Each structure stands twice: as structure tokens, then as C-alpha cells.
Amino acid sequence: MKNKNRLQARHYKFHIDWILTIILLIALVLYGYGTWKTGSANDFYTSAITSMTQSFKNFWYASFDPAGYITVDKPPVALWFMTISAKIFGVSNFSVVLPSVLFGIGSVYLMYRLIKPKFGTNAGRIAAFAMTITPIVVADSRTNNMDATLIYFLLLSLWMLQKAVDKKNIFWLMGSFALIGFSFNIKMLQAFMIVPAMLLFYWIASKTNWKKKVMHTVLAIISLVVLTLVWPLSVDMTSANNRPYEGGSEHNSVMELAFGYNGTQRLLGQTTGTGGTFKGIGNQKSKGNNNQANNNQPTPPNMSKNKQQKNNMKKIPNGNKLTGMQHGGAPGGGSGSIFNIGTAGPLRLFQSALGPQISWLLPFAIVGMIASYIVYADPRRKWHQINEKQKQIVLWTVWLVLVGGFFSVASFFHPYYTIMLAPAIAALSGIGLMGMLKALKIFNRKDIRFYFLPLAITVTTMLQAWYVSSYYSWLTILILVIGITASLGIIFIKSKKIMKKVIIAGLITIAIAPSFWSMTPTIAKTSDAIPSAGPDLLNSHGNQGGIGSGSVNNKLLKFLQKNQGNAKYLFATADSGTAAPYIIKTKKAVMAMGGFNGTDPAITLSKFKQLVKSGQIKYYLDGGKSGSTNSSIVNWIKKHGKKVSAKTYGGTSNSKNKQGHLGNKQKSGALNQMMSRKSSNYQMSGGPQNSSETLYDLSNIYK
């Protein structure tokens, strides 16, 4: 008997779930295919990775430039993985994106492992598949942004939390919350969004007495705090003279960055790090700004159309996505809506700005959550005596409510941040489907609980049909006809065999559109600085140029390299967008005086003069960017520096950016009306305002 049990245990241990394997292979293709052909990804971070491979100091602080002058505006942990990859394979788009691809696939697997133990294999598979075909998950997993890495470690922390509850082991619990602290150093306060859900789950699911729960909770919080603060305090306690300036902060502090620019300002509206206050950036209702010279607000609506369109065409940054910019218009929400976050309110996640990136299965998940909580209830218990399955549902529901609530009211975030909702939607979709199928078996047509599944399919198909209506009318009709027909078939068909086929048809129908949307970044081979998914990518070929222009003036570069001499910096410039491509190409130090957008007070005029006097800086490249907080330095340069004629280095303009393709939809009226908003927002995020460049020679100022 013992030998038989051992054989069964061995068989189970080495059992391969082939359906899960296929799902993981799909994820591998969607997340990884073509990433070796997509330029520099987010060149702001690729520049940092290039610098971080050159010294441990740069590695530890996440220095943007090889000289260790200033950091990026995020913690270093995600970049550490990318730097290790770049160190092994060399700096390339493939190497810097590879960790995100692997973490994305790992998240799909963790979804399966989190759902299967309590709800069965099929629920785990559905959750994994739903995670795989969420469009923004695909887009994020193809970049060197931090989001795919963050999601993986948050899911890993939940897996450890479940182990802690099942095994009644304090070390699993402490490890779980320590991982949240670790995740803080991936993308700061965003990692803490699920902490209330974790605490609630532990208190309702743990089978220890309340005194032990209190003690365990305290130890868990201590673990979280320690792992959270180790890196930030090590930076803030280091003399500013011995480390780079903390990019994105006003006072050279990681803690300020975490709770300010990357914290409360995301909720209340940005006031630093981006060139001015622009509360509600991307909302459909944008107010005009009297100070148009600073480009901190969209172009006033009363500008004459011809003049506005002419100016819009001049302002378009190279390599930026231009199509599908439907602010408050058609429900495409495609690749052009990268700065549009809709209108704040309880239905924001369903609006066209965010919905096509994340919300395809949100109605299904919500109905499924309600259905499964009811169906899995134990009729022998009181309403407040919930069982293990219901406790799991509570965990994912609180995740969904907390994160969804934030995105519903927050004033500043990018649409791709909504990947934070993907695990909860995927989990509740898998759990909910199993619950709704169970309801069909145990309840008859006279019971309202019988109708959960047809309701879920109906509302989901209606939302999806609206999302695709501005692109493919035939697909809209197909989704509506099959979805509603399947829902009616579930209600009226009595044959179980036929009903099973109808259910499958309905489920396939609600998977078609999100699956296609998720394929678009892969088909277009994009690795965008501002990730998105949608048919527009197939026309515009994505934002492959990164945050900056994504281009290098090769003739200018040759001149600078020839004349650099013993200078520490190849040249200085106002912002990271101008500097990044040169750092990536040459691996040499370029000073981005004001960091990401030229607004960080990282250097004083007197300090800059010292660098010029000592010969560490010989040239300044003015990329035509205004609004820098270092205007006193720029004015000094323009007054005392000598303009270098373009004829000296044999060129007058940048080398062309091959990724700057324009989609056919540019010709639409809606696009032309919104170009100035996109251009203005792009400038605030680090892109150049125009293609003009002026080089100043500073080497003779003190001679």
C-alpha cells in the first residue's frame, strides 16, 4: 500500500499539464517574439542599463549616465535584473527586455498556481489564459519598464501568503510581506496597493488564535518595513557628493521621490518632475492655459483649425504613436491614447481610454465574482461564516476594488499602469467561470442564480462590441450575434450536450477580441516606452523611438567624439530625452542637467561653471527644450558660449528616425484636433519640442 502511494505521489509530482504548457508557449510568443528588432525600447531606462553595466556604483544607484551624475526616477531593482541580462548578452533591446518577458510568463504560471489548489485545474487554466491575453499585459511584458517585474513579485508574495495560511508558518508570512517591501524598490508605493487585501485575507483565513495573529502581523509588517527601507535609507544617508542626484525629486531624496512624485502626486495630480502642474493630465475635458509658451497644457480649443493643424504637424515627435487618438470620442482606445486616462469616476475603467487595454473581461469577472461567492457558500453556515473558497474570492475582490478605486479617481498615471488590475480580473474570471458553471448544474431555470453565466456573457459581449465598433463593424456584429445567441441558448436549450457546445461558443466569442488586441504589439514588433495595444499599432508601428527622439545626429556625434579630449562628459544637455540615445550608442557620459524632463534642480550655476572651468564639460547641446529649471545655466551658456556652426561638423539636422512611421488615420479630423494635446503632453514627459539643435562650445570661456 505504501509503495502504491509513493508511485502515485511520484506520478503527480512529474505530471505535466499540457494545456497549461500551451498557454505558457502562447505567452512566450506574445511577449517575446520580435523583441530583438525593436530599437532601444524605453531609451530612458536603456540608457540607465548601459550605465549600470559599467560600475557597481551606477548599478546600485540606478544611474542614468555613466558618470553617475543623476539617476532615473524609479528604484533600481527591476533595472538590476535587466542590467544582469545586459551584462551577459550585451546591451540590446533583446537583453533589456528579456527579464520582462520572463517575468510576464512567470506571472501567467503563478496565476495557475494560485487558483488551482482551491478551485481546480480548469479554473487555474482559465485564470492563466485570461492573464495571457490581457492586452496591456502583453504590451508591458515587451518593454523594459518595471510593471511586468512588479506584477510577478506581487503574485509571488500572494503565493507565499497562501503557503503561510495553509502551513500555519510564520516564516512564509514574513517572506510574503518582505517581498512586498522588495517590490517597493521596483516601483515604490504601487506595490503597497494590495497590502490591505493581504492583511484582510490573513486575518480571515488563518486558523490561529487572535493573539498569534497580532504577533504574526507585527512581524510581517516589520519584514515589510525593513525590506522597504534598506535601499532608500542607504541612499538618503549617503552624502550627496558620493552618489548621483536622485532623479525626479526636488531635494535629492529617495523618500521624497517615493511619497511625492511617485506617491501622492499620482493621486492628486503632478506638480514636480514634469515641468509644471498639470492635474488631470489626459482627462477628456482639458482646460486651456494662458501660459502656452511653457506647453504645460493642451492647445486652446479656440485656435483656428488651419493654424492648429499646421502647428500640430510641426510638433509631432519622431517615433511617436499618432493614430487612434480618440480623446473622449470613438471607443478604440488604441495605441495613440497613451496619455488619455478618461474622465475620473466609477465607470472610468470601462471608458474607451482605458478599457481596451485592460477591461475586456472585467464585466465577466465582476459577475463571476458575485456568482462564485454565492455558489460556493455553505448553506449550513451563517452568512458571515465564510469558507476557504469564499476567502480566496474576498482576497481577489479586495485587490480589484482597491486598485480599481485608485485608477477611478487618480489624476495622473499612464494607461499601462492598469496592468495592476490584470491578476485580479484573471483570477475572478477563472474562479467565476467555474462558479457559474456549477450554478447551471445545481440550480434550475426558476432560480435566479441559474442566469449568472448568460448574464456575464451578454454584458461582456456588449462592452467588447462597443470597443471594436470603431475599427471592425463586422467583428462588432459577430460578437453581438454569437454572444447573445449563446446566452439565449444557455437559457432555453435543455439538451446538456448542445448546451455545452453553446457555452463553449459563448466563451470563445468573448475571448476573440482581447486575443486579437493582445496580438497587435507582437505583430507590430513593438517595445514601447509607453506600452499599449490595439489595431493602431499595425498602422503606426508603435513608439519604437522611446521617451526621447530615439535618434542620434551622427555627424554631430563624430565631431563631439573627435573634440572631447579629456573632458568627462561628451556634452551636456537639458534633459534625458536628448541625452539617452547618445549614451546608448557611445556608452559615454552625457550630462542631462535637469534629469528626465529637464526640471530637476540637480546642479547649480556655480557648480556647472566649475565643471566648465576644469574642462570636464566642453560642449552644451541645446535641443530646443523650454521650461527647464536650469534656465540660469542655459542663459549663461548662451551668453558666454560660442555657437558651433553646423557646417563645422557637416550637417544641419538629426539623422532620420526610421521608427517614425505615420498611420493612415492621421488624416482624420479627430486626430488632427488632438495632435497638439498629444504633442504638449509628450513634451512634458521628456520628448523634444522641436528638431532644432544648437551646439555651444564652452571650452574657451575661461581662457
Side-chain angles (χ1 to χ4, degrees), residues 57 61 67-69 235-246 252 568 602 607 610:
K57 181 179 179 180
Y61 294 112
Y69 164 73
V235 175
D236 283 358
M237 293 174 67
T238 301
S239 171
N241 296 325
N242 297 324
R243 62 175 175 84
Y245 184 92
E246 193 60 36
N252 199 7
K568 182 177 182 179
K607 178 64 176 177
Q610 292 175 14

Side-chain angles (χ1 to χ4, degrees), residues 170 173 202-203 206-220:
I170 180 59
L173 181 66
Y202 179 72
W203 272 80
S206 178
K207 297 178 181 179
T208 57
N209 60 60
W210 70 269
K211 291 183 179 180
K212 285 187 176 181
K213 286 181 182 179
V214 170
M215 181 185 69
H216 292 175
T217 301
V218 170
L219 292 174

